[in-house]
Amino acid sequence: MPDKKRKLHYYPGCTLKEKTTHLDVSTYAAMEILGYELIEPKNWTCCGAEFPLNEEKIIGLTAPIRILRQVKIEGGDKVFTVCSFCFNVLKRANEAIMSDSLKHKRINAFLKDDISIDRDSGEKTTDFKQYNGDVNVLHLLEFIRDWVGYEKIRSLIKRDLSGIKVVPYYGCRLLRPKGKMAIDEPEDPSIFEEFLENIGCEVIDFPFKQECCGSYLSLSMPDAASEASYNILRSAKLSGADMLALSCPLCYYNLDTRQDRIKENFPDSPEIPVLFFTQLLAWALGVDEEVLGLDQHYCNPRTALGIDESEVKK
């Protein structure tokens, strides 16, 4: 009898179903090997992408709290995500509901009138119970460290990644604001380095690992975003890295997809592969190369991963 998979709620977020499907697919592949059946909250929507900072107009909290309430309704006590933006929004919204009694009252009063219609049966659900912040919001790096354990990860490794020099890139949403995210120390983090070491990579430290890549400026001020991303890519290359690993879809867009745009402003910008940490995890665990979505990258990561291009299926 095969081992029974443990069910675990997983919030992918909207970008993973459209622009960065390789982050989503590699997460599913890796978590299956680790023994988990992932459950996406029924009828989930975008979390809003940005945590609302306005203290009076708090309607922006409804989307993330509605997602967490659904996890609770489905019997979950924890949910993880791999997107840094989604993690930031869900975690802070959950904290706001628990720490601010007025927000708790107003948001629950608003959501109480929700009408949920089952897509299959057409059955309507109304009069929802209030949500009290009792679902634990986790990032996958955190879940692996605290719930799976590095020892188990090491026991399941199927590919030797030693010799692959990787810089971990945290970006600005995974760790901050300090005291709210509570995943690691923002000024001196180590969770990403520990993860990479335990899947067999050679970790390279570099001074831009917590710097912003330019974020949404790639839309409103693309030259500013290009300069911020250039500084990160250049620093990674000068540090001796073969690739850069990250968890944020927007950082991926700025640091990988826009490498051609960056080169227009900075011709000496290095071409360096940028991978999601779940792709590296899945690869280390023995997942087939075809599953990783490597063709979606601007900078081909196959050589850095030790994949023979001549053996790649066309």
Side-chain angles (χ1 to χ4, degrees):
M1 290 285 289
D3 292 338
K4 187 176 180 180
K5 302 291 185 185
R6 283 163 289 184
K7 294 184 177 181
L8 177 66
H9 274 93
Y10 161 56
Y11 176 72
C14 44
T15 306
L16 275 71
K17 299 298 183 183
E18 296 288 342
K19 300 294 186 183
T20 54
T21 54
H22 40 337
L23 174 55
D24 185 48
V25 172
S26 57
T27 298
Y28 268 97
M31 293 302 282
E32 182 179 8
I33 294 174
L34 295 179
Y36 291 92
E37 177 187 347
L38 302 186
I39 304 170
E40 298 182 15
K42 196 172 184 179
N43 296 336
W44 66 262
T45 63
C46 175
C47 66
E50 282 286 355
F51 178 76
L53 296 176
N54 191 310
E55 290 294 319
E56 296 180 354
K57 298 178 181 178
I58 60 172
I59 196 68
L61 290 173
T62 56
I65 295 302
R66 189 178 280 127
I67 293 164
L68 297 174
R69 184 187 65 182
Q70 185 61 31
V71 174
K72 178 72 175 178
I73 290 171
E74 295 174 6
D77 61 359
K78 67 177 73 65
V79 61
F80 84 88
T81 184
V82 292
C83 167
S84 299
F85 268 80
C86 296
F87 175 60
N88 191 285
V89 172
L90 292 176
K91 180 97 175 185
R92 295 173 71 182
N94 209 38
E95 192 274 337
I97 279 289
M98 290 189 290
S99 63
D100 190 318
S101 59
L102 182 57
K103 288 178 180 175
H104 177 276
K105 181 179 180 180
R106 292 177 65 194
I107 291 298
N108 274 300
F110 183 84
L111 294 180
K112 188 175 184 300
D113 293 332
D114 274 359
I115 300 175
S116 177
I117 303 176
D118 188 280
R119 291 173 179 170
D120 299 322
S121 65
E123 181 182 356
K124 293 182 180 179
T125 302
T126 58
D127 196 22
F128 287 88
K129 294 182 179 179
Q130 68 177 14
Y131 176 72
N132 300 316
D134 34 11
V135 170
N136 193 6
V137 179
L138 302 163
H139 189 276
L140 183 55
L141 285 172
E142 187 180 18
F143 183 77
I144 287 174
R145 179 190 64 188
D146 298 340
W147 296 81
V148 178
Y150 294 136
E151 183 177 350
K152 180 171 182 177
I153 295 288
R154 292 195 300 272
S155 73
L156 294 171
I157 294 295
K158 293 293 188 296
R159 288 193 177 93
D160 181 8
L161 304 191
S162 62
I164 301 178
K165 299 176 181 178
V166 185
V167 288
Y169 178 66
Y170 289 90
C172 50
R173 299 303 174 106
L174 187 59
L175 303 169
R176 304 184 182 98
K178 183 177 183 178
K180 300 288 186 183
M181 305 313 295
I183 181 174
D184 205 348
E185 171 53 54
E187 301 305 322
D188 187 24
S190 60
I191 187 171
F192 213 152
E193 286 88 341
E194 292 170 2
F195 164 80
L196 292 170
E197 288 173 354
N198 279 282
I199 63 171
C201 298
E202 180 179 341
V203 180
I204 305 294
D205 193 21
F206 85 125
F208 282 78
K209 63 185 178 184
Q210 299 128 295
E211 297 297 320
C212 179
C213 64
S215 190
Y216 292 119
L217 289 180
S218 55
L219 297 176
S220 59
M221 300 174 66
D223 287 347
S226 292
E227 182 172 2
S229 296
Y230 164 72
N231 289 331
I232 293 166
L233 294 172
R234 182 172 181 272
S235 176
K237 194 67 176 179
L238 289 175
S239 298
D242 298 320
M243 65 177 65
L244 181 149
L246 45 67
S247 75
C248 175
L250 184 52
C251 297
Y252 173 80
Y253 173 73
N254 283 336
L255 295 172
D256 179 89
T257 309
R258 292 189 76 253
Q259 282 194 27
D260 57 342
R261 293 287 306 276
I262 296 170
K263 271 186 170 300
E264 291 176 3
N265 291 5
F266 303 93
D268 65 327
S269 183
E271 290 194 356
I272 181 170
V274 176
L275 278 91
F276 290 112
F277 75 101
T278 53
Q279 291 176 292
L280 285 171
L281 174 60
W283 182 242
L285 293 174
V287 173
D288 289 342
E289 181 249 323
E290 293 83 1
V291 179
L292 302 183
L294 301 182
D295 289 331
Q296 297 184 49
H297 293 254
Y298 170 80
C299 188
N300 188 342
R302 289 189 175 88
T303 300
L305 287 172
I307 299 173
D308 187 343
E309 288 279 1
S310 64
E311 297 181 358
V312 175
K313 295 178 181 177
K314 301 298 182 182

